Amino acid sequence: MKKIAIVFLLGITLYGCGSTKALITADKAPILVDIDLVNVTDDKVMVKVDPGAFASEMVSFYIPKTVPGTYSTDNYGKYIEGFKALDYDGKELTVSKSDDNTWNISSGTKLDKISYWVNDTYDSEGEQEEAVFSPSGTNILAGENFVLNLHGFVGYFKGLKEIPYTVQIDKPAGLSATTSLPKKMMEDAVSTKDIFSAGRYFEVIDNPIMYAKPNSETFQINDISVTLSVYSPNGTYTAASLKDRMEKMMGAQKAFLGDIDGTKQYSILLYLSQMGKTDANGFGALEHHTSTVVVLPEVMPKDRLEQAMVDVVSHEFFHIVTPLNVHSKEVQYFDFNDPKMSQHLWMYEGTTEYFANLFQIQQGLIDDAEFYKRIMGKIDNAKGYNDAMSFTEMSKNVLQEPYKTEYANVYEKGALINMALDITLRELSNGEKGVLWLMKELSNKYGDQTPFEDEKLIDEIVAMTYPEVRSFFDTHVLGDTPIDYNAYFAKVGLVSGTVEQSCGRFFLDQEVPFIDADPSNDNAIFVRKGIALSSFLTDLGAQGGDIIKNINGTPITMEGIGPIIQQSFVWPAEEKITMVVQRGDEEITLNGTAGTPVVMVEKVTTVEGLTDAQTKLREAWMKG
Ligand SMILES: [Zn+2]
């Protein structure tokens, strides 16, 4: 999974059942699922699930509480209503619920099938505090779009998770399905149903389906056939327009990975959101073995959308290495309704995120300066989390507080742990072995179907590498001692520190503004919190969180800010500036001059007097 924060201002202002199965017992008969996307009622979809015959009276049916890759409790059962269990005469059986996600049917031997209505998550995401993350959520928009993250639609019977499923979908006119779920061939060409098959429940939910007006492209990366399907409600983007950058990026990923065996087919399902209260609001993506669902705002300009796609899709694709190929028993035998978490998020998410940056420098997609900037960005972002918390302890307990709020540090410190480990391994192996080598070894040893013991992974890594690696893990990953990144930078002739840099009055550079728009507050323009601001803003007395009401008499709105930003580039230093801000309930008038703006930034730079050893190690690390 990868969650990303989007700075909205940039995007807008600056750039410019049928048959009886009574004779076949439930543990032998495939489970038949019917999802009706044609007769959508009140934004709800009818689902019928038809198992074989049960021998026991007590039958439980579950909709997942948690799904792999999300590391959160989402209770998808909350989106189910009108649950009915029917006997072979079509009469309703008594059903009781034991929690949000569990339905118990007491006359199991009489059970023919169940039916229920499904609500989507996208409709309510804007209103909920702990909304389902959009890439694992569901969308029901009759005749337009369906995001079928199937864990939101299809459940499983107790003890029958390993039974094959047949999923038939009543196909909405004009929309076509993109998925990596194997499709059964139809006898007639003009069928009104799409029929898919899955070997077991996990395969059902590992293969999301998106229905949208046809807008997809397929390209070949070595032996992998990649399909990119795009839902763009306003027709802003086509798959054809985004294909080239994806093709180049995934080609570079394959070159970076070398012979790590993955999939032969990969689907990228891109949902572009119009945002607001009734559309998707969680931006980023969720990984699956052979596909990913990506959600981003449609309003993003092309260059930024493409860069976000590069960063997010590359992250998801690298999940093929871990956890998909290298994972513990907790992941292999994932319990959707009572999950046990693994302690190795430093690897599942950290290594993945690290690779998503490392491959870009190794394959020449970004330059050294951009790579250092990304590392610095992660060091900065990691400061927002508890640096003195054991990463393995956080991981093991990630569904509960106080660990839950530390989760997103897997993308920051998680990646930095891998950077430090990578430099360590390169140093000890005379430049030859790094984290990618380690992951290839683990992938060869385990793979898709063979899990490792959660408690033994570190011992194994140490046995495969060097004794020094044990103290690294004991101190910084199992232990709670923060990593001194400069100690690792020194090995490769780099150093991080604060330097003064000239900047714009409202922007650090093209990518980082000091102000943003708040879509939840009529796009009010505010000063960003938690970042270093330009001396122009701080000298005026502005603070993070201030809403800018007007500047020199011009009311500041989404429309009004653009011209002011343009003017600000040519304000002479002595220009008098009056800015009215709202801080809490107070309106405050700030007076000052335009000045010569600078900002203190933390940067990674090359040390003076670089040695050959440092140069060599840096080359091995950054050039592969
Ligand atoms: Zn991830």
Side-chain angles (χ1 to χ4, degrees):
M1 181 171 90
K2 178 78 200 281
K3 284 189 191 187
I4 57 171
I6 306 272
V7 176
F8 290 104
L9 186 74
L10 273 174
I12 302 153
T13 323
L14 249 207
Y15 308 89
C17 141
S19 59
T20 304
K21 298 260 166 338
L23 297 176
I24 311 175
T25 56
D27 59 340
K28 305 243 165 42
I31 292 173
L32 250 173
V33 177
D34 190 279
I35 303 175
D36 185 351
L37 299 185
V38 175
N39 302 296
V40 176
T41 309
D42 297 335
D43 256 356
K44 284 174 264 205
V45 160
M46 170 63 78
V47 176
K48 294 176 182 146
V49 184
D50 185 0
F54 288 93
S56 62
E57 289 303 336
M58 189 50 113
V59 171
S60 295
F61 181 78
Y62 303 97
I63 292 283
K65 177 180 178 180
T66 294
V67 291
T70 60
Y71 309 106
S72 62
T73 301
D74 291 314
N75 296 312
Y76 296 94
K78 284 197 299 197
Y79 298 88
I80 305 296
E81 54 185 75
F83 189 98
K84 283 180 188 164
L86 302 172
D87 70 11
Y88 292 99
D89 300 321
K91 284 208 212 79
E92 276 189 53
L93 297 169
T94 308
V95 176
S96 65
K97 269 185 92 170
S98 38
D99 58 42
D100 279 342
N101 315 296
T102 313
W103 290 262
N104 305 303
I105 301 140
S106 45
S107 316
T109 52
K110 295 187 186 137
L111 179 66
D112 176 17
K113 62 186 167 193
I114 57 169
S115 69
Y116 48 84
W117 292 97
V118 179
N119 274 299
D120 66 328
T121 68
Y122 286 11
D123 274 355
S124 58
E125 278 183 20
E127 291 154 6
Q128 291 184 358
E129 240 174 67
E130 288 196 35
V132 170
F133 180 48
S134 309
S136 60
T138 53
N139 191 39
I140 298 172
L141 197 58
E144 237 328 270
N145 175 275
F146 295 89
V147 175
L148 307 183
N149 264 308
L150 290 166
H151 53 256
F153 290 84
V154 184
Y156 60 96
F157 292 95
K158 188 176 188 173
L160 298 183
K161 268 194 302 195
E162 303 303 315
I163 297 291
Y165 274 68
T166 298
V167 178
Q168 52 181 42
I169 298 179
D170 296 273
K171 217 164 49 174
L175 307 188
S176 59
T178 306
T179 181
S180 293
L181 196 61
K183 209 169 177 176
K184 278 192 178 169
M185 291 307 286
M186 293 304 299
E187 283 154 27
D188 56 317
V190 285
S191 172
T192 57
K193 287 181 193 291
D194 282 333
I195 304 184
F196 302 95
S197 56
R200 61 186 186 124
Y201 182 66
F202 177 77
E203 262 182 62
V204 175
I205 69 162
D206 192 36
N207 290 285
I209 309 172
M210 181 164 80
Y211 277 89
K213 293 193 183 80
N215 182 4
S216 69
E217 287 283 328
T218 298
F219 52 89
Q220 206 67 26
I221 302 292
N222 297 9
D223 56 348
I224 311 170
S225 171
V226 181
T227 299
L228 167 67
S229 180
V230 178
Y231 171 65
S232 179
N234 297 298
T236 312
Y237 291 104
T238 60
S241 70
L242 300 172
K243 179 190 146 191
D244 288 356
R245 189 88 184 264
M246 283 295 99
E247 196 170 356
K248 185 180 176 203
M249 180 274 284
M250 294 183 82
Q253 283 193 281
K254 190 69 187 146
F256 171 83
L257 283 176
D259 53 7
I260 284 189
D261 201 24
T263 169
K264 298 279 172 268
Q265 190 194 1
Y266 198 78
S267 306
I268 303 165
L269 313 181
L270 173 62
Y271 180 94
L272 293 171
S273 170
Q274 303 184 78
M275 302 187 285
K277 287 199 164 62
T278 58
D279 204 349
N281 279 289
F283 303 116
L286 181 65
E287 77 276 16
H288 300 282
H289 279 76
T290 56
S291 58
T292 181
V293 176
V294 186
V295 179
L296 289 168
E298 191 182 31
V299 74
M300 284 176 99
K302 189 166 186 236
D303 54 342
R304 294 198 63 227
L305 181 80
E306 287 193 320
Q307 188 58 53
M309 291 280 290
V310 165
D311 293 337
V312 166
V313 176
S314 65
H315 174 105
E316 304 312 330
F317 189 71
F318 278 135
H319 272 308
I320 286 176
V321 180
T322 189
L324 306 179
N325 261 312
V326 181
H327 56 252
S328 70
K329 290 183 168 165
E330 284 76 0
V331 176
Q332 177 86 13
Y333 309 111
F334 192 83
D335 187 329
F336 306 101
N337 288 74
D338 186 17
K340 311 282 179 292
M341 306 315 280
S342 161
Q343 53 182 294
H344 299 298
L345 274 171
W346 70 270
M347 181 177 75
Y348 305 139
E349 291 300 337
T351 303
T352 303
E353 177 62 9
Y354 176 61
F355 284 175
N357 288 280
L358 186 67
F359 95 101
Q360 296 194 46
I361 182 71
Q362 287 199 4
Q363 296 293 318
L365 300 184
I366 56 173
D367 61 17
D368 293 4
E370 173 64 20
F371 184 63
Y372 301 152
K373 196 173 141 190
R374 286 168 175 240
I375 294 171
M376 201 64 239
K378 295 204 180 292
I379 294 175
D380 260 350
N381 294 341
K383 288 177 185 156
Y385 301 93
N386 182 357
D387 201 15
M389 179 185 275
S390 154
F391 232 69
T392 44
E393 189 181 331
M394 182 268 280
S395 180
K396 191 112 199 92
N397 299 290
V398 72
L399 298 178
Q400 305 129 46
E401 296 296 1
Y403 307 98
K404 197 172 140 181
T405 47
E406 300 292 319
Y407 167 74
N409 205 13
V410 298
Y411 305 117
E412 316 295 348
K413 186 176 178 179
L416 296 166
I417 288 171
N418 282 273
M419 175 192 78
L421 177 62
D422 204 15
I423 292 173
T424 303
L425 289 173
R426 291 282 187 189
E427 185 186 35
L428 294 169
S429 67
N430 199 21
E432 277 172 26
K433 298 170 180 171
V435 173
L436 180 60
W437 168 85
L438 174 66
M439 294 312 296
K440 285 185 181 182
E441 293 289 304
L442 288 169
S443 174
N444 288 338
K445 178 162 185 191
Y446 293 101
D448 184 22
Q449 296 302 325
T450 315
F452 59 79
E453 296 279 349
D454 215 55
E455 304 288 330
K456 293 186 180 151
L457 180 69
I458 306 285
D459 293 347
E460 227 174 313
I461 291 174
V462 173
M464 289 160 73
T465 58
Y466 308 94
E468 291 88 339
V469 169
R470 153 116 27 232
S471 76
F472 175 81
F473 276 100
D474 284 351
T475 312
H476 303 301
V477 184
L478 292 101
D480 56 14
T481 305
I483 300 173
D484 173 8
Y485 299 113
N486 268 326
Y488 294 88
F489 288 147
K491 296 176 195 292
V492 290
L494 295 172
V495 64
S496 72
T498 309
V499 292
E500 191 180 276
Q501 176 181 305
S502 65
C503 62
R505 294 182 168 93
F506 296 99
F507 283 82
L508 173 64
D509 55 29
Q510 287 214 319
E511 285 164 32
V512 183
F514 299 123
I515 55 176
D516 195 5
D518 180 1
S520 71
N521 182 16
D522 283 338
N523 286 321
I525 306 295
F526 66 97
V527 179
R528 293 177 66 195
K529 272 188 190 169
I531 61 164
L533 300 170
S534 67
S535 59
F536 162 71
L537 290 167
T538 52
D539 289 351
L540 271 176
Q543 294 177 7
D546 284 356
I547 294 171
I548 306 176
K549 304 301 281 189
N550 82 65
I551 295 175
N552 289 351
T554 305
I556 297 304
T557 58
M558 203 69 166
E559 293 72 38
I561 189 70
I564 293 273
I565 289 173
Q566 294 305 326
Q567 289 165 28
S568 77
F569 290 118
V570 295
W571 282 340
E574 62 280 7
E575 178 99 5
K576 294 219 172 335
I577 305 294
T578 300
M579 185 160 106
V580 179
V581 299
Q582 186 184 327
R583 187 176 298 162
D585 296 333
E586 258 189 296
E587 271 207 355
I588 304 171
T589 302
L590 306 171
N591 287 299
T593 59
T596 305
V598 290
V599 64
M600 298 307 288
V601 290
E602 291 208 68
K603 265 191 152 169
V604 174
T605 50
T606 294
V607 295
E608 276 175 47
L610 194 67
T611 66
D612 286 350
Q614 287 171 321
T615 306
K616 227 179 121 207
L617 189 57
R618 194 197 294 182
E619 286 281 308
W621 169 47
M622 281 169 53
K623 307 298 167 193

